[in-house]
Amino acid sequence: MATGIRPLIFGIVAVAAVTEELGRVDVAERRLPNRLVLPLYPVVLLSLIADGAISGSNPLVGIGAGAGWLLFLLVLCLAGGMGMGDVKLGGVLGLCLGGLSVVTAIGGLMLAFVAGAIGGVIVLLRHPASGGASRRALRVPFGPFLLGGFWLAVVCFPLLADATA
C-alpha cells in the first residue's frame, strides 16, 4: 500500500471547490446546476484511475460505487422522491468515495439519508399539515445532505479504518 498523498485528492478537492455553491443554490432554488456537477465527473474519474495506477487500488471499485449511487438515486428520482440533480451529484460522490473504499461509499450514502431524514422531520415539525404550508414549502433540498454525508465519510471512515488496523 502506498503512503502519502494519493491522486484521488484531486477529485476530493474538485468536490470541495463546488460544495458551498451547490449547497447554496440547492437551498435557494431547489436545483443542482449541471455547470457545477457535470465537470466533476472527468476530474474525479481521472483522479480515480491515476490513484489506481499509483497506489494499486482497483478503480473499478470506485466506478461501481458511483454507478451504484447513481442507479439507487435514479430509482428514487423516478419514484418522485428527488430530483435529477441529486442523481447526478450522487454518482460523482459515489465515484469519489468508492475510490477510498466500499465501506466509505456505503457509509456516505447512509449518512446522507440519516441526515436527510432528520432534516425532513424538522421541516415537518416546523410546518404542521394543518398549518396550510404549501407542498413546495415542505420540499427539502437533498443536495446539502448528500454533500454532508460525503464529507463526513471522507473524514470519519478513514479515521475509523486507521483505528481498527
Side-chain angles (χ1 to χ4, degrees):
M1 181 172 116
T3 59
I5 296 178
R6 294 172 50 184
L8 188 59
I9 192 70
F10 292 108
I12 294 169
V13 168
V15 173
V18 297
T19 292
E20 182 182 354
E21 183 67 4
L22 284 171
R24 186 194 65 73
V25 171
D26 202 16
V27 168
E29 302 175 19
R30 304 293 196 270
R31 66 184 193 87
L32 294 163
N34 284 339
R35 68 180 172 78
L36 297 174
V37 175
L38 296 182
L40 294 173
Y41 275 92
V43 174
V44 170
L45 192 55
L46 288 173
S47 71
L48 185 64
I49 292 168
D51 191 66
I54 292 171
S55 73
S57 63
N58 186 353
L60 293 178
V61 174
I63 293 168
W69 273 51
L70 192 124
L71 290 173
F72 176 70
L73 296 175
L74 180 60
V75 168
L76 294 178
C77 178
L78 294 174
M82 65 184 49
M84 274 305 294
D86 298 317
V87 175
K88 291 178 257 185
L89 177 61
V92 79
L93 298 180
L95 268 173
C96 211
L97 290 180
L100 295 172
S101 75
V102 172
V103 172
T104 305
I106 294 168
L109 190 59
M110 289 174 46
L111 288 167
F113 274 89
V114 168
I118 293 168
V121 168
I122 291 169
V123 167
L124 289 174
L125 291 174
R126 292 185 71 187
H127 301 282
S130 61
S134 72
R135 186 173 181 158
R136 174 105 173 128
L138 295 178
R139 288 181 49 206
V140 178
F142 197 59
F145 297 110
L146 284 171
L147 290 161
F150 171 84
W151 287 112
L152 280 171
V154 165
V155 171
C156 294
F157 281 87
L159 293 175
L160 291 173
D162 288 345
T164 60

